[in-house]
Amino acid sequence: MSVSGIIVEYNPFHKGHDYHLKKTKEITKSQYTIAIMSGNFLQRGEPALFNKWIRTKMALKSGVDVVIELPVVYSCQSAEFFSYGSIQLLERLGVINNIVFGCEEYDLKKLKCISDILAEEPIMYKTFLKNQLKKGMSFPSARSIALEKYFLNIGKNNFDGEVKSVLQCPNNILGIEYLKWLKRFNSNIVPRNITRKGAGYHSKETHEHYSSATGIRNQIFSNNKDLSKLKGLIPDYSFSIIIDALRENYIPAQLEDLSKSIFSILLRYNDIDLKKYIDINEGLEKRLFNNLNSNSIEEFINLVKTKRYTYTRIQRILAHVLLDIKTEDLIMFREKGGVQYIRILGFSENGRNVLSEIKAKSELPIITNLSKSYKKLNPIQKKMMDYDIRATNIHNMHFSKTYKNNMDFSISPIIV
């Protein structure tokens, strides 16, 4: 049995994702494709445009065989820990032969060269990194400079100037982190990369062939009453699913719509309380309190951010505050082995076969019906699952016209 793994958000599924999926099947010749997909909150600290079941349906219609949820304690994290959870989950399925990821850099050897240093953390590199962080730099900038200095010192002058350009691209960063964790887990999963096509990750422009997810979301936000311009930007099945969702019950999710909830929570805390969340230190808690009179979440983040605390990093911190994801729990999950279960969001008829193989080979509990499985989970597994349930409830409360509590217990896996 040949199985490929992909790590996705599908926010929403567009033509670039379709290209990635088709190329994955083409270059690996795999019989099955399994997607590890973020649930209702994403890596940049934003709520998903539509809930995880709507996006699962898009994935299955596109040809994915099984969709598995990445727990929110990993999906809403920096690239390092997002990748840690994703790669570990793929590894612990016990059936994955290949992982295929899209990135801006075509040379996989170059990405591996960088990822090996991050995986091994030689003393010289760690010293360079520590020195740059002491200067008040953001972690991404400090890491980039530390790597360049390291390569220069070991005689790899051909990397001079290249590291910075590679690490400026978000999908390269994720790809490097995937490779790092594959190495640390001593995984037999074979990595492959394909070069991204079309608009850049952050581009707000829309293009007929390959628009970015950002551009497509902006198109939806600007006029979700008339989405005729969207039709040519995403596959027909994805377009139909979005139209049906908007007609039925769902409101396209934006971080701005969570602003009052986030501000209300912040108002309850004092400086010490906020320090229980990851990354809130070095006086950041005071900056958060001092700017609560902002008119929008965007204005608030722009006032709070610094050279060291980037916009995206602040955005993730606010998502952690909203979801009450505490540092002590993140540490505890890591000490207890990381990912605690396999939550099946959906599968195709073809995917039934690989699900049987996962059940035979994986030691993790496989959850298809949470109402039956929840009581069987141990306290650590329940703790992780409770965060997923909370994320669903908060997302549903803000972005569903008719709120239903605890949908995780009532919705069965999507079957296509």
Side-chain angles (χ1 to χ4, degrees):
M1 180 177 285
S2 177
V3 187
S4 287
I6 55 177
I7 300 167
V8 303
E9 291 189 323
Y10 291 164
N11 194 42
F13 189 97
H14 56 64
K15 290 183 177 180
H17 297 135
D18 186 59
Y19 172 79
H20 172 222
L21 183 58
K22 286 177 178 175
K23 288 297 288 184
T24 295
K25 294 180 178 184
E26 176 187 323
I27 66 179
T28 65
K29 310 299 182 186
S30 294
Q31 298 167 274
Y32 305 96
T33 305
I34 294 178
I36 304 300
M37 190 183 79
S38 301
N40 290 318
F41 283 80
L42 310 179
Q43 198 260 323
R44 290 174 57 82
E46 302 168 316
L49 183 70
F50 294 107
N51 74 32
K52 56 194 179 188
W53 293 287
I54 292 171
R55 289 162 32 247
T56 293
K57 191 180 294 184
M58 293 181 192
L60 296 174
K61 288 284 187 180
S62 75
V64 172
D65 293 301
V66 179
V67 180
I68 296 171
E69 181 175 6
L70 178 63
V72 72
V73 294
Y74 298 116
S75 73
C76 194
Q77 292 288 354
S78 66
E80 179 180 16
F81 295 110
F82 173 90
S83 301
Y84 165 82
S86 301
I87 294 298
Q88 189 190 55
L89 191 44
L90 284 176
E91 178 70 16
R92 298 191 72 179
L93 292 177
V95 300
I96 303 296
N97 305 110
N98 310 277
I99 176 176
V100 182
F101 56 88
C103 54
E104 294 82 1
E105 174 58 54
Y106 71 93
D107 188 351
L108 185 63
K109 290 181 180 178
K110 191 180 294 183
L111 299 181
K112 279 187 174 180
C113 191
I114 295 173
S115 70
D116 283 349
I117 303 306
L118 298 182
E120 296 163 5
E121 293 188 314
I123 293 173
M124 185 190 300
Y125 161 72
K126 289 176 74 174
T127 301
F128 288 142
L129 179 62
K130 187 176 180 180
N131 290 340
Q132 297 306 315
L133 289 171
K134 282 181 179 178
K135 296 177 182 179
M137 287 186 174
S138 68
F139 181 81
S141 297
R143 181 177 60 180
S144 178
I145 293 172
L147 284 165
E148 287 193 330
K149 285 178 176 289
Y150 178 80
F151 286 126
L152 191 63
N153 272 267
I154 64 172
K156 289 195 175 183
N157 296 333
N158 58 316
F159 262 71
D160 188 28
E162 284 197 61
V163 172
K164 184 178 180 181
S165 63
V166 169
L167 292 178
Q168 281 179 334
C169 302
N171 291 284
N172 285 347
I173 293 170
L174 280 171
I176 288 167
E177 289 293 339
Y178 297 154
L179 294 170
K180 180 184 86 176
W181 288 111
L182 286 171
K183 185 177 181 70
R184 285 193 176 176
F185 291 141
N186 195 28
S187 175
N188 291 320
I189 297 173
V190 177
R192 308 281 188 90
N193 68 317
I194 59 173
T195 308
R196 277 177 58 88
K197 285 185 173 287
Y201 180 87
H202 296 294
S203 174
K204 295 182 180 180
E205 300 298 319
T206 53
H207 303 270
E208 182 179 352
H209 297 295
Y210 295 107
S211 295
S212 72
T214 303
I216 291 167
R217 288 194 298 273
N218 285 344
Q219 187 71 39
I220 293 172
F221 295 144
S222 63
N223 187 5
N224 60 50
K225 301 297 183 185
D226 179 15
L227 292 179
S228 55
K229 291 182 180 179
L230 187 67
K231 191 170 178 60
L233 305 179
I234 57 178
D236 288 343
Y237 52 82
S238 190
F239 179 79
S240 296
I241 291 168
I242 289 174
I243 293 298
D244 288 344
L246 292 174
R247 283 175 179 164
E248 290 173 11
N249 200 31
Y250 297 99
I251 303 163
Q254 300 185 71
L255 183 65
E256 189 59 55
D257 295 330
L258 297 171
S259 59
K260 289 184 178 179
S261 293
I262 292 170
F263 291 158
S264 296
I265 293 169
L266 287 173
L267 284 169
R268 295 205 310 261
Y269 287 117
N270 57 38
D271 293 1
I272 296 173
D273 290 332
L274 279 179
K275 290 180 180 178
K276 67 184 179 181
Y277 300 110
I278 195 166
D279 279 350
I280 298 185
N281 49 42
E282 299 175 340
L284 180 64
E285 62 279 4
K286 296 186 185 301
R287 294 183 66 84
L288 292 169
F289 285 126
N290 292 341
N291 290 288
L292 281 174
N293 57 347
S294 302
N295 295 312
S296 70
I297 204 77
E298 182 178 6
E299 180 187 47
F300 177 73
I301 296 173
N302 279 319
L303 289 169
V304 171
K305 71 183 180 73
T306 64
K307 185 161 52 173
R308 185 156 187 169
Y309 288 91
T310 63
Y311 190 100
T312 302
R313 192 173 176 186
I314 298 296
Q315 199 164 256
R316 272 196 295 269
I317 287 169
L318 296 179
H320 291 171
V321 170
L322 177 68
L323 298 171
D324 201 26
I325 299 175
K326 303 179 186 72
T327 305
E328 64 180 13
D329 286 340
L330 297 176
I331 294 170
M332 180 265 293
F333 292 138
R334 184 76 175 269
E335 291 174 347
K336 297 297 183 180
V339 175
Q340 297 291 312
Y341 47 77
I342 298 166
R343 174 76 188 278
I344 308 297
L345 292 178
F347 54 90
S348 66
E349 288 298 329
N350 187 51
R352 289 181 187 273
N353 297 324
V354 73
L355 275 179
S356 297
E357 193 76 5
I358 293 170
K359 288 176 182 177
K361 292 187 174 181
S362 181
E363 295 178 357
L364 291 176
I366 297 170
I367 299 171
T368 52
N369 185 328
L370 188 60
S371 62
K372 291 182 179 179
S373 300
Y374 186 79
K375 291 180 181 179
K376 299 177 184 178
L377 298 177
N378 66 38
I380 308 301
Q381 293 163 348
K382 282 183 179 178
K383 188 80 169 177
M384 185 174 283
M385 179 59 72
D386 286 345
Y387 278 121
D388 290 342
I389 294 166
R390 183 182 302 154
T392 297
N393 286 340
I394 289 174
H395 193 281
N396 191 33
M397 180 175 287
H398 288 83
F399 306 115
S400 177
K401 294 171 187 174
T402 307
Y403 174 64
K404 294 179 183 178
N405 195 39
N406 291 336
M407 287 175 66
D408 281 289
F409 289 94
S410 60
I411 296 185
S412 301
I414 306 297
I415 303 174
V416 171

